[in-house]
Amino acid sequence: MEPSRRTLLGLAGLASATVAVGGLAGCRRNDGRMGSPEKQGTSETACEKENEVLPVEDLMREHGVLRRVLLVYDECIRRLDAGADMPLDALTKSADVVSRFIEDYHEKLEEDFVFPRFQKAGKLVELTQLLARQHQAGRCITKQVQAVTPAILRDPSARRAFAERLREFVRMYRAHAAREDTVLFPALHEIVSWHEYDALGEEFERKETQLFGEGGFQKMVAQVDAIERSLGIEDLAKLTPQ
């Protein structure tokens, strides 16, 4: 009976381990990692936080709003170059989204909560300094877009100069957002604790609600979607190569 008894004990242990692992797998956070070790065994488990938007995810999806504005600017540049009709509303509303959501909210989060942590840790210092300078350069161009007038769009020389400023903005921010998504944001995990990381998420959410009310991100996506529709570029299928 001894081998059978050992076998049964082994199977029982394996079953217990499987249940434990399965339970943890079900408690993965949105970034695919396990819940914070310091919160395991407490009343606030990882499962209870599985639907939260984590700080890096929050910043990256805000980049999605920026990238859609860049697509709007691409269409505006195309029309400016071609001498085609250029609805002024599309430009000013896009610049308003950039100013309010990207510059005054998203970039302020980076400048107040992300960049200083890298500088304090002595990591990616040159990159964060460059990114901060690009924020300032972008804000200057956004002010120019907000100030555009029908007279500027009617003057061929001013029209060309304005189109070039938009190109500079698009070119810079495509590289800027890509570098943050692939270099800066992934490295944030290396310099903050789980507790600090969670606290950042709560601070980001508080700031968003304070500035835009509940569902601020969804509101901005809806605004960009309306701008795309006004220009006839909302159909993603049209971008599929034949």
Side-chain angles (χ1 to χ4, degrees):
M1 295 295 294
E2 188 64 24
S4 298
R5 181 170 174 271
R6 287 178 179 173
T7 300
L8 288 172
L9 288 172
L11 289 173
L14 178 61
S16 298
T18 302
V19 170
V21 171
L24 284 173
C27 297
R28 285 185 182 273
R29 302 165 62 103
N30 285 347
D31 62 352
R33 296 189 297 167
M34 298 298 179
S36 168
E38 54 222 49
K39 289 185 177 173
Q40 293 174 6
T42 68
S43 59
E44 186 180 17
T45 65
C47 283
E48 291 170 333
K49 294 174 70 66
E50 68 179 7
N51 291 322
E52 76 174 8
V53 178
L54 298 174
V56 164
E57 179 189 355
D58 211 5
L59 294 169
M60 286 182 171
R61 70 177 188 166
E62 289 157 12
H63 276 172
V65 174
L66 172 62
R67 288 187 171 97
R68 289 181 68 169
V69 171
L70 297 184
L71 291 173
V72 169
Y73 282 180
D74 280 339
E75 175 63 14
C76 293
I77 291 167
R78 185 191 70 77
R79 294 185 182 208
L80 288 167
D81 288 344
D85 179 52
M86 178 66 257
L88 197 60
D89 264 6
L91 278 171
T92 55
K93 288 179 179 178
S94 297
D96 182 60
V97 170
V98 172
S99 176
R100 293 178 59 233
F101 190 67
I102 300 302
E103 296 171 351
D104 294 346
Y105 167 62
H106 171 89
E107 291 181 350
K108 283 293 290 178
L109 291 181
E110 293 176 340
E111 292 164 2
D112 293 345
F113 299 101
V114 178
F115 295 172
R117 282 176 165 82
F118 280 99
Q119 290 159 7
K120 183 179 178 181
K123 291 181 177 292
L124 301 177
V125 174
E126 290 185 9
L127 176 60
T128 55
Q129 290 172 342
L130 173 57
L131 294 171
R133 290 197 299 272
Q134 290 186 338
H135 287 177
Q136 296 305 316
R139 287 165 188 160
C140 289
I141 296 177
T142 296
K143 284 183 171 62
Q144 293 175 2
V145 178
Q146 290 175 314
V148 70
T149 64
I152 290 175
L153 299 182
R154 286 194 297 267
D155 179 82
S157 177
R159 190 178 173 110
R160 285 193 298 272
F162 182 70
E164 183 56 31
R165 289 302 274 166
L166 285 181
R167 279 194 189 89
E168 291 172 349
F169 186 94
V170 170
R171 184 165 54 245
M172 180 183 75
Y173 268 109
R174 283 211 169 103
H176 180 102
R179 196 63 58 91
E180 287 186 339
D181 287 348
T182 59
V183 178
L184 190 75
F185 296 161
L188 184 61
H189 295 281
E190 301 171 9
I191 63 171
V192 299
S193 66
W194 268 110
H195 176 75
E196 191 176 4
Y197 192 69
D198 283 347
L200 276 177
E202 292 170 5
E203 182 64 24
F204 290 1
E205 182 179 358
R206 186 185 68 80
K207 290 282 187 183
E208 182 179 316
T209 303
Q210 178 185 357
L211 290 173
F212 308 107
E214 292 294 330
F217 170 76
Q218 288 77 14
K219 292 175 183 176
M220 290 299 139
V221 171
Q223 287 186 31
V224 176
D225 185 68
I227 296 168
E228 292 170 343
R229 291 180 183 280
S230 74
L231 292 172
I233 60 170
E234 78 282 359
D235 189 355
L236 186 62
K238 291 181 179 179
L239 300 179
T240 307
Q242 300 298 318

